[in-house]
Amino acid sequence: MKKINLGLLFGGRSCEHEVSVISARSILQAIDRRKYAVSLIGIDKAGHWRLADGDDLDALLSGGEVAARPPPGGGDSTGAAAGRPVTLDLHHHGNLSVAGPPPAAGRHLLPALDVVFPALHGTFGEDGTLQGVLEMAGVPYIGCGVAASALAMDKTLAKKVFHAAGIPQAPHIDITAPQWRRAPADIMRRCETRLGWPEFVKPANLGSSVGVSKAHDPGELKGAVELALRFDAKIVIEQSMENCREVECAVLGHAGDARASVVGEIIPGAEFYDYTTKYLDDKSELVVPAKIPGPVAERVRELSVKAFREIGGDGLARVDFLVGRDTGQVTLNEINTLPGFTPISMYPRLWAASGVPYPELIDRLIELALQTHRGKAKLQRAIEPGDWPGD
C-alpha cells in the first residue's frame, strides 16, 4: 500500500514556537511509519520554511527552536545542520518548491504533500492565516478551517458567538490598546465595578497562557494590562471564577457529528495554570478522568460539542471549562482548535482514556482532513449556463 505523504509543520512565528517543537517531536514518535512518509517542515521565527533531509527533527533545531535561516554567504548562523529552504507552491496542489543551489537557476518541485499536520500553536499557526495558505495551495490539512480557526483564536469574537448560543461564560470586558492609552483610569474603574477582584487579563489572540496574569487589585491590574498589550493590541479582562476546578474535554470529528472525550481535570501547581506550570515544571497534576459527578461531566461534554459546532469546527478542538466546587456550575473558559500534542498534553491523553490511543488518533485526524478536502473538491467553483433560474 502506498504511503501517505504527510507534511508535519512546526515552529512558526509565535510565542508558542518552542511548544510547537515539542508537539512535533511527540507526533513524530507516535505516527505509524508503515502508513505515512513524513516530511518535516520547520518554520523559524522569521517565517522561513526549512525541509529536513530525512526525518531528523534535531537537524532543523538549535536550542529547542527551528534554526534561523543561514546568512547569504553560506553556512549556518546557529551552528545547526539546517535543512533546505522551501516554500509551498500555490499552483501545484501541495508541492513544496525548493530553490536550486548556485549556479543552478530556477526552482524545482518536490513530491506533493497528501496532507499537512500543522502542529503550530498561536498566531500564524492556528489563527486561520496558515489555513488560508493551505486552502490556496489546495492541500488537505488537519484541523479547523480558516473561519473557525480565526474565530476561536480571537477570544473577544468567540465570546460573542458563545454568548449568542447561550453558553455560560465568566463576565468580561474587552479593550483595545488605543482605548487603554486614551482612558486607563476609566477602564480600571469599569473593571472594578463590573468584575470585582480578582480578575484575569489575557491577550485576545494567544494561547498557552502567554501574557496572562491574575490581578488582585488596581495596581496589579495596570501591570497585567501592560503585559498583555505587549503580545496583542486587543485584550480580555475576565472576572475570576473563584473556588472552581479547571477541567478540559477533547472533541473529534466534523461539526455535525463530533464526539467528546472523557473529561480531565487540571490541578495547577500555582495560583493558576500559567505557562510555567504547563511546560517548565512538573508541579501540576492532570487527572483523567476527572473526579467530578457524572451529570457535571456530561454537561461539560455536551457544551464542548456545542461550542465546537457553534464556531463551525472541523477535525479537533480542546474545550476548557471552570466547574464550581460547591455548585457544580459549568462555565466555558475557551476553545483551542490546535491543542498541544506534547507528551503531557491533555488532548491525546483524554482520547487515550476514551479508547483512542495516540497512533489511532493521528489516523483519525488524517482521515477527517482527507474527508473534508474531498467534500470541498466536489463544490462547484464556476458558474455554468443554466445555473440561474430563468436561464
Side-chain angles (χ1 to χ4, degrees), residues 194-257:
R194 290 183 53 184
L195 307 178
W197 304 108
E199 301 166 359
F200 274 104
V201 183
K202 306 175 181 181
N205 289 279
L206 266 180
S208 293
S209 297
V210 174
V212 176
S213 303
K214 188 174 184 179
H216 300 81
D217 55 50
E220 289 187 356
L221 176 60
K222 184 177 185 298
V225 170
E226 295 291 351
L227 173 64
L229 287 174
R230 286 167 49 190
F231 296 98
D232 196 7
K234 184 166 57 172
I235 67 174
V236 178
I237 305 175
E238 296 176 344
Q239 180 186 98
S240 176
M241 306 294 288
E242 297 294 289
N243 196 30
C244 285
R245 307 166 76 166
E246 298 185 39
V247 303
E248 299 183 348
C249 186
V251 180
L252 180 68
H254 303 298
D257 61 0

Side-chain angles (χ1 to χ4, degrees), residues 14-353:
S14 166
C15 295
E16 299 175 72
H17 180 106
E18 290 80 6
V19 178
S20 171
V21 171
I22 300 171
S23 286
R25 192 182 299 279
S26 181
I27 293 165
L28 192 62
Q29 291 171 347
I31 199 164
D32 188 343
R33 299 307 186 87
R34 297 168 299 178
K35 300 177 182 177
Y36 308 106
V38 182
S39 297
L40 286 174
I41 307 160
I43 304 176
D44 68 27
K45 290 186 176 181
H48 303 121
W49 292 33
R50 305 187 67 79
L51 176 69
D53 292 316
D55 60 3
D56 185 2
L57 183 145
D58 288 323
L60 292 181
L61 303 179
S62 177
E65 65 182 60
V66 177
R69 193 174 193 175
D76 194 331
S77 60
T78 65
R84 291 174 288 175
V86 292
T87 57
L88 186 63
D89 197 298
L90 300 183
H91 306 289
H92 291 86
H93 302 291
N95 288 86
L96 291 171
S97 177
V98 59
R107 309 179 72 85
H108 67 276
L109 299 177
L110 299 172
L113 301 173
D114 296 314
V115 63
V116 166
F117 196 142
L120 293 134
H121 311 305
T123 47
F124 307 110
E126 62 178 298
D127 59 357
T129 51
L130 176 64
Q131 288 74 15
V133 171
L134 296 171
E135 292 280 0
M136 290 288 291
V139 59
Y141 58 91
I142 287 170
C144 294
V146 175
S149 298
L151 178 59
M153 187 69 179
D154 190 320
K155 296 178 179 66
T156 63
L157 298 180
K159 285 179 180 295
K160 289 178 172 62
V161 171
F162 297 143
H163 174 75
I167 299 175
Q169 304 173 89
H172 65 277
I173 293 172
D174 307 333
I175 67 168
T176 64
Q179 289 172 329
W180 175 253
R181 288 194 296 267
R182 188 165 54 246
D186 290 346
I187 289 172
M188 291 177 68
R189 280 194 296 269
R190 183 155 57 102
C191 289
E192 184 168 12
T193 300
R194 290 183 53 184
L195 307 178
W197 304 108
E199 301 166 359
F200 274 104
V201 183
K202 306 175 181 181
N205 289 279
L206 266 180
S208 293
S209 297
V210 174
V212 176
S213 303
K214 188 174 184 179
H216 300 81
D217 55 50
E220 289 187 356
L221 176 60
K222 184 177 185 298
V225 170
E226 295 291 351
L227 173 64
L229 287 174
R230 286 167 49 190
F231 296 98
D232 196 7
K234 184 166 57 172
I235 67 174
V236 178
I237 305 175
E238 296 176 344
Q239 180 186 98
S240 176
M241 306 294 288
E242 297 294 289
N243 196 30
C244 285
R245 307 166 76 166
E246 298 185 39
V247 303
E248 299 183 348
C249 186
V251 180
L252 180 68
H254 303 298
D257 61 0
R259 56 178 286 216
S261 70
V262 300
V263 178
E265 180 179 4
I266 297 167
I267 303 176
E271 187 173 7
F272 71 96
Y273 198 42
D274 60 9
Y275 186 90
T276 299
T277 58
K278 282 182 179 179
Y279 303 112
L280 302 182
D281 63 34
D282 58 357
K283 296 179 181 178
S284 296
E285 183 182 356
L286 306 182
V287 180
V288 181
K291 297 176 182 177
I292 57 178
V296 175
E298 190 55 38
R299 175 66 170 160
V300 168
R301 298 177 73 250
E302 172 195 338
L303 288 177
S304 296
V305 172
K306 183 174 183 178
F308 187 72
R309 184 173 63 245
E310 291 297 332
I311 66 163
D314 193 65
L316 76 160
R318 192 198 70 234
V319 195
D320 304 344
F321 295 87
L322 299 168
V323 174
R325 293 184 183 278
D326 300 327
T327 64
Q329 178 181 345
V330 177
T331 303
L332 174 66
N333 186 16
E334 63 182 38
I335 186 169
N336 188 317
T337 56
L338 271 175
F341 276 81
T342 73
I344 63 169
S345 292
M346 267 292 209
Y347 189 85
R349 183 176 292 196
L350 288 169
W351 280 116

